[in-house]
Amino acid sequence: MPAKRKNPVKKQSASRKKASVRKKSAKKSLSGRLGRFIKKIILACIVFGTLFLSFYTIYLNSIIKDKFEGRRWSIPAKVYARALEVYPGLKITITQFEKELKLSGYRKDKQASTQGSFSRNGQRIELVTRQFKFPDGEEQSHKLRIQFNQTAVTSIYDRLKRKKVSLVRLDPAVIGSIHPKLHEDRLLLSQDEISKKMKNTLLAVEDRQFYQHYGVDPKGIARAMWTNIKAGSTVQGGSTLTQQLVKNYFLSRERTLVRKLNEAIMSLLLEYHYSKDEIITAYINEVYLGQDGRRAVHGFALASEYYFKRPLQQLSQPQIALLVGLVKGPSYYNPRNNQERAKKRRNTVLKVMLDQGLIKQAEYQRGIDSGLGISRRWSLSHSPFPAFLDNVKNQLKENYNQDDLTDKGLRIFTTLDPKVQWAAEDALAKQIKSVNKKRAKHLQGAVIVSHRDSAEILAIVGGKNNREGDFNRAINARRPIGSLIKPAIYLTAFEQGYTLSSLLKDTSFSAKSVKGKLWQPQNFDKKEHGLVPLHVALAKSYNLSTARLGMEIGVDKVLNTVRSLGVETDALPYPAVLLGSLTLSPLQVSQMYQTLADQGFYSPLHTILSVQDENNETLQQYPVRVERRIDENLLYLVNANLQEVVSMGTGKGLARYLPAHYNIAGKTGTTNELRDSWFAGFGNNLVGVVWLGRDDNKPAGLTGSSGALKVWGKMMKQLDVGVLEQNQPENIKWFWIDSMNQLKLTGRCYNAEFLPFIQGTEPENTEDCSGSLFDEKSRTNWMKHLFQ
């Protein structure tokens, strides 16, 4: 029987089944391996992400701790004017006093009731001074009543103590700041200085859950995310107050996911390291609230001063509400530019407070009915006295680097006297305006005024516009000084035995100058005056006799005298130096005449009294340095001659502004082609230097007498320049002299001149005039002849 054959179909089906099983098994194996691989990848990502997040968090944590625990803000240096000391008899009008109060940021109210306020009624001012920490101690606040007459303070009455006082010192005006590159400014508050009213208002509007969350408010974030999803872009933030601080202080303002993540992490870290009170204090000091020119106004304390001229502690509830409302948009809600918008925003803040039970209905109603109470614009973005501030910065650079000046909140107390500064600015502006319009358009000027005894610079005017950024001619313009050099020539001559009665030749001559060129000086009037007494040559500013004298005593020696007077110069001893080719700045000329005014004592001119750190600790003081440079006898002679310049010579035009008994000493200066007009002079209290000219060095058309002298006179007429009293040295004696005949007179002849001499240098020969007829008219005619 044949063998049974297998069914090939069944065999193929079994094979397919086995293959299918093997395939399924392979797939299952591959799927398992892939799953395990993916799990490993996920686990690795989680580990790596955790490590990355940990390290990144540590990095962000280091940023927070390094910046927040160190110096949190760059605080610009504040520059103060001199403090006004008020006493009965102080020469200041009530109008000038009121102007000084306004410069210091005092506000004029109907009644003076809080610090920094004043009221005026006729010739009486009532004010409440501010408490202030001076370098020499703290000055408490005073409630004062000050009475004036037409020219001075007559009495001071303390309204709290109910008694008259003899002296009170007002807090000084801030006249400028030295800002960092970002031009941020703020006044820092401590936790204790922030009122409950301020905190409640801020939190009610910006972060009601501040004391409940840990830096991030999930509900707020969710709400913001939903709003953004619906809008299709980032239009709303759910930031807590802590997140706002992080964003403003550590991060940029861009709206990206990475920045938002950084903000959240850093907020949690900030809350972990610091207390709620520290965070809200930092926020109140950091938040941006406005723009004052180039200066960014940060923090509620500075904003309070900027918008209301009041400390934050003195603000009413509506005023605080206005500031808090500015957080949403300082520019959009700026109360100076958009009053209605700002008022609406303020009222919204007050309504929020009402709804939260922080204020009552009556208080809310009073608040929304009240005006904004914004003060008139008060700016420190630009200093009102930029030329003076330039000199302050120059002096500071000798001892401090730029970071010290822009970061550390230094308080710099200066010598600026606003009354003197305003008088200088006013006199310069009026004189330039008085010349014809065509000439005034290009005419410029500079003024420096210092105190005679202390060498403190009281005022600097750098140009007729006196704007920040303008060229500061008082410090940086170097111009030929003309006849202002002549006192140095005559001082040198006195050292070599000349006297005020010595006869000089005022006749033409020539001398070799630079590169063998011929130098031929001329008098201003193009005339020769023959033999003239030395004191007349200086009083009348004769060039020929002065140049001859300078050539005889030595130009190099004259330059040495200039250096002794305090001027650093490397000028070469060319003959032209004798008639003022020497180029100096008005500041350098001021130093020269400061030494003359202080009877030969050299004291460096300075604008800073002291520097304090942000904790009111004195870092440096600038005491007066005094050094005898010129013999007192010689100085007495030249100053007596400079008084004669004003009484009889080229400076006699001052009589239109100041009485003759002031005995002012001074010197005019004029350069070739009337390019420069100078006057330098001093009374008992003040030393002043004025320059007029053009920046393009074209002729200004003014002599020293017709230009600068008039500015000097108009300025000093407004100030207490003082009757000049020279301390006469024991070795100086006065004699009646006949200079032309070199005789000492024992009586009063019509040709007598009363002159001082160093004892033993007076003329030896004597003439007795006691029997001769004398009348004042004859002597007056003789003096006119002598000084014609």
Side-chain angles (χ1 to χ4, degrees):
M1 188 171 166
K4 196 174 180 179
R5 297 181 63 183
K6 293 181 179 180
N7 190 333
V9 175
K10 287 184 178 180
K11 187 177 181 181
Q12 288 176 2
S13 176
S15 271
R16 283 196 298 269
K17 283 181 180 179
K18 287 180 182 179
S20 175
V21 169
R22 284 196 299 270
K23 241 181 206 184
K24 286 181 180 179
S25 177
K27 281 183 180 179
K28 189 174 182 182
S29 175
L30 179 63
S31 175
R33 288 197 301 271
L34 185 61
R36 289 193 296 273
F37 178 73
I38 291 173
K39 286 180 181 178
K40 287 179 181 180
I41 292 293
I42 293 173
L43 182 61
C45 288
I46 292 172
V47 171
F48 178 77
T50 303
L51 287 173
F52 175 79
L53 188 60
S54 298
F55 283 115
Y56 191 62
T57 302
I58 292 170
Y59 164 70
L60 294 179
N61 188 63
S62 67
I63 292 176
I64 288 175
K65 296 197 75 174
D66 287 347
K67 192 170 182 182
F68 213 71
E69 291 186 1
R71 178 174 292 279
R72 295 183 181 177
W73 293 280
S74 293
I75 308 297
K78 291 284 190 296
V79 183
Y80 294 89
R82 64 92 181 91
L84 180 61
E85 293 186 340
V86 187
Y87 53 89
L90 174 66
K91 292 184 178 179
I92 187 170
T93 66
I94 191 168
T95 302
Q96 291 170 335
F97 186 77
E98 184 175 348
K99 192 175 180 180
E100 290 226 16
L101 289 177
K102 290 179 178 178
L103 177 68
S104 297
Y106 279 72
R107 63 191 180 279
K108 192 172 184 179
D109 292 339
K110 291 182 179 179
Q111 281 190 325
S113 56
T114 58
Q115 290 189 30
S117 65
F118 77 96
S119 63
R120 177 177 174 178
N121 183 10
Q123 289 293 99
R124 184 181 70 204
I125 278 184
E126 292 190 352
L127 77 153
V128 184
T129 66
R130 299 190 189 98
Q131 184 177 359
F132 191 84
K133 291 183 179 179
F134 286 95
D136 60 353
E138 186 167 347
E139 187 80 24
Q140 298 299 319
S141 173
H142 302 280
K143 286 191 173 183
L144 303 173
R145 181 180 299 123
I146 304 177
Q147 194 72 38
F148 295 79
N149 59 22
Q150 296 302 314
T151 60
V153 174
T154 57
S155 67
I156 306 170
Y157 182 78
D158 190 313
R159 294 185 287 151
L160 281 181
K161 297 179 180 178
R162 297 185 177 182
K163 66 176 184 178
K164 288 186 176 182
V165 293
S166 58
L167 176 69
V168 66
R169 179 168 55 169
L170 305 187
D171 52 299
V174 178
I175 58 170
S177 302
I178 304 175
H179 289 86
K181 291 180 181 178
L182 294 177
H183 283 275
E184 291 184 1
D185 199 1
R186 55 177 52 80
L187 296 174
L188 296 183
L189 295 172
S190 65
Q191 294 181 31
D192 295 337
E193 293 173 311
I194 299 171
S195 68
K196 188 176 180 181
K197 188 194 302 183
M198 176 72 242
K199 283 185 181 180
N200 288 343
T201 307
L202 178 64
L203 296 180
V205 177
E206 293 298 322
D207 192 351
R208 300 175 194 177
Q209 303 300 316
F210 177 70
Y211 283 102
Q212 281 72 50
H213 63 64
Y214 295 98
V216 178
D217 185 0
K219 290 182 181 179
I221 293 174
R223 184 175 58 252
M225 287 179 64
W226 178 245
T227 303
N228 294 336
I229 290 170
K230 287 194 296 182
S233 63
T234 304
V235 296
Q236 181 179 327
S239 299
T240 64
L241 189 144
T242 309
Q243 287 176 280
Q244 291 181 46
L245 176 61
V246 168
K247 178 180 66 176
N248 295 335
Y249 192 70
F250 297 103
L251 305 172
S252 67
R253 291 183 175 273
E254 62 180 347
R255 293 186 174 184
T256 64
L257 186 60
V258 172
R259 201 272 293 159
K260 200 67 181 174
L261 178 64
N262 287 339
E263 180 185 299
I265 295 172
M266 295 177 84
S267 296
L268 292 170
L269 290 170
L270 198 64
E271 293 262 358
Y272 175 76
H273 287 295
Y274 303 100
S275 70
K276 289 287 187 180
D277 285 340
E278 285 180 289
I279 291 170
I280 194 171
T281 300
Y283 182 92
I284 285 170
N285 285 322
E286 167 61 27
V287 64
Y288 172 69
L289 291 170
Q291 195 71 29
D292 174 23
R294 292 183 303 167
R295 182 181 72 146
V297 178
H298 282 260
F300 283 91
L302 183 60
S304 177
E305 295 285 356
Y306 177 60
Y307 290 111
F308 300 109
K309 283 190 182 179
R310 295 173 184 266
L312 185 61
Q313 295 84 348
Q314 292 182 13
L315 295 192
S316 64
Q317 182 63 70
Q319 289 170 326
I320 291 176
L322 175 62
L323 293 185
V324 170
L326 289 176
V327 173
K328 186 176 181 181
S331 178
Y332 187 76
Y333 295 108
N334 186 330
R336 289 202 172 98
N337 300 334
N338 308 290
Q339 289 194 15
E340 287 304 314
R341 195 182 292 162
K343 188 172 184 179
K344 187 176 180 181
R345 175 63 182 162
R346 180 203 66 180
N347 293 348
T348 298
V349 173
L350 290 172
K351 183 66 166 63
V352 169
M353 297 189 72
L354 176 66
D355 292 343
Q356 294 185 35
L358 295 172
I359 59 174
K360 295 181 179 179
Q361 180 66 40
E363 188 177 358
Y364 166 72
Q365 193 61 48
R366 285 196 304 270
I368 63 174
D369 290 341
S370 65
L372 295 179
I374 298 298
S375 67
R376 297 178 67 179
R377 184 172 291 277
W378 174 65
S379 174
L380 276 180
S381 175
H382 301 286
S383 170
F385 312 119
F388 187 91
L389 196 61
D390 284 346
N391 201 72
V392 171
K393 292 176 182 177
N394 289 342
Q395 190 176 342
L396 286 169
K397 286 176 185 177
E398 298 174 8
N399 302 103
Y400 299 93
N401 61 43
Q402 191 63 22
D403 287 343
D404 291 332
L405 300 177
T406 59
D407 291 354
K408 297 183 178 178
L410 300 183
R411 304 168 79 221
I412 300 156
F413 294 88
T414 75
T415 58
L416 182 128
D417 187 325
K419 179 184 173 185
V420 178
Q421 179 73 31
W422 287 323
E425 292 174 6
D426 177 70
L428 179 64
K430 284 181 177 177
Q431 181 56 32
I432 289 178
K433 190 176 180 180
S434 71
V435 303
N436 67 67
K437 291 183 179 179
K438 187 176 180 180
R439 190 187 299 168
K441 181 180 178 181
H442 301 286
L443 194 60
Q444 272 293 353
V447 184
I448 294 183
V449 183
S450 58
H451 196 279
R452 182 188 175 207
D453 292 334
S454 64
E456 295 173 357
I457 297 177
L458 307 178
I460 300 178
V461 184
K464 63 181 178 183
N465 297 321
N466 204 36
R467 294 177 303 206
E468 189 171 353
D470 284 357
F471 180 58
N472 191 339
R473 295 158 191 84
I475 297 174
N476 300 318
R478 291 179 174 268
R479 307 288 298 208
I481 64 171
S483 294
L484 293 192
I485 197 175
K486 287 179 180 176
I489 299 172
Y490 287 83
L491 264 177
T492 311
F494 294 148
E495 284 180 338
Q496 298 185 24
Y498 284 81
T499 70
L500 289 170
S501 67
S502 297
L503 294 176
L504 305 178
K505 282 185 179 181
D506 193 67
T507 55
S508 298
F509 73 100
S510 60
K512 285 187 178 181
S513 186
V514 185
K515 297 180 181 179
K517 290 183 179 179
L518 208 60
W519 181 60
Q520 294 178 299
Q522 289 183 315
N523 281 326
F524 181 76
D525 61 5
K526 304 295 190 293
K527 297 178 181 178
E528 299 179 14
H529 302 95
L531 281 177
V532 295
L534 181 147
H535 72 100
V536 174
L538 178 57
K540 297 295 290 181
S541 202
Y542 291 152
N543 291 336
L544 293 174
S545 48
T546 301
R548 280 181 174 275
L549 177 64
M551 295 291 288
E552 186 170 334
I553 61 180
V555 181
D556 57 334
K557 291 183 174 60
V558 172
L559 285 172
N560 286 338
T561 300
V562 171
R563 295 183 186 102
S564 295
L565 289 169
V567 177
E568 295 182 7
T569 176
D570 55 2
L572 298 174
Y574 295 129
V577 167
L578 299 170
L579 296 184
S581 68
L582 179 66
T583 58
L584 299 176
S585 68
L587 181 62
Q588 289 175 302
V589 173
S590 294
Q591 183 63 74
M592 179 176 166
Y593 276 79
Q594 179 71 36
T595 307
L596 289 171
D598 204 13
Q599 301 182 85
F601 286 104
Y602 167 74
S603 297
L605 289 171
H606 58 284
T607 51
I608 303 175
L609 296 172
S610 66
V611 177
Q612 287 186 318
D613 64 16
E614 59 189 325
N615 298 314
N616 302 317
E617 296 294 328
T618 299
L619 298 177
Q620 190 167 6
Q621 290 185 317
Y622 293 80
V624 178
R625 292 191 287 120
V626 179
E627 176 189 348
R628 166 67 73 184
R629 290 280 186 91
I630 306 293
D631 179 80
E632 62 177 340
N633 297 295
L634 306 179
L635 241 299
Y636 187 88
L637 297 180
V638 79
N639 283 350
N641 207 166
L642 291 176
Q643 288 177 303
E644 201 171 30
V645 170
V646 174
S647 63
M648 300 289 289
T650 57
K652 63 184 178 183
L654 271 185
R656 294 194 297 270
Y657 307 101
L658 298 170
H661 75 270
Y662 273 45
N663 297 324
I664 300 297
K667 186 71 191 77
T668 55
T670 309
T671 59
N672 292 341
E673 300 182 40
L674 306 183
R675 296 176 190 274
D676 301 275
S677 170
W678 290 91
F679 187 80
F682 51 92
N684 212 53
N685 300 327
L686 304 176
V687 183
V689 171
V690 177
W691 168 81
L692 291 176
R694 292 176 52 145
D695 290 339
D696 60 10
N697 203 33
K698 291 181 179 180
L702 297 169
T703 65
S705 299
S706 65
L709 178 144
K710 292 182 177 180
V711 176
W712 201 97
K714 290 173 181 176
M715 173 178 65
M716 293 301 181
K717 187 177 181 180
Q718 304 176 53
L719 303 172
D720 184 19
V721 62
V723 177
L724 181 57
E725 297 175 354
Q726 284 206 82
N727 294 324
Q728 183 173 323
E730 292 183 3
N731 209 26
I732 291 289
K733 303 295 179 187
W734 287 74
F735 297 95
W736 288 99
I737 299 294
D738 175 359
S739 292
M740 299 308 296
N741 294 301
Q742 292 295 289
L743 295 172
K744 182 170 60 176
L745 305 176
T746 58
R748 296 185 68 189
C749 301
Y750 76 92
N751 60 345
E753 305 149 61
F754 197 48
L755 299 173
F757 290 84
I758 299 174
Q759 198 162 359
T761 64
E762 68 274 11
E764 294 181 0
N765 297 326
T766 302
E767 181 175 329
D768 186 1
C769 289
S770 57
S772 54
L773 294 173
F774 172 83
D775 66 272
E776 195 61 45
K777 185 177 180 181
S778 298
R779 184 171 182 276
T780 300
N781 290 335
W782 166 251
M783 295 304 289
K784 285 182 179 179
H785 166 73
L786 198 61
F787 284 89
Q788 68 181 1

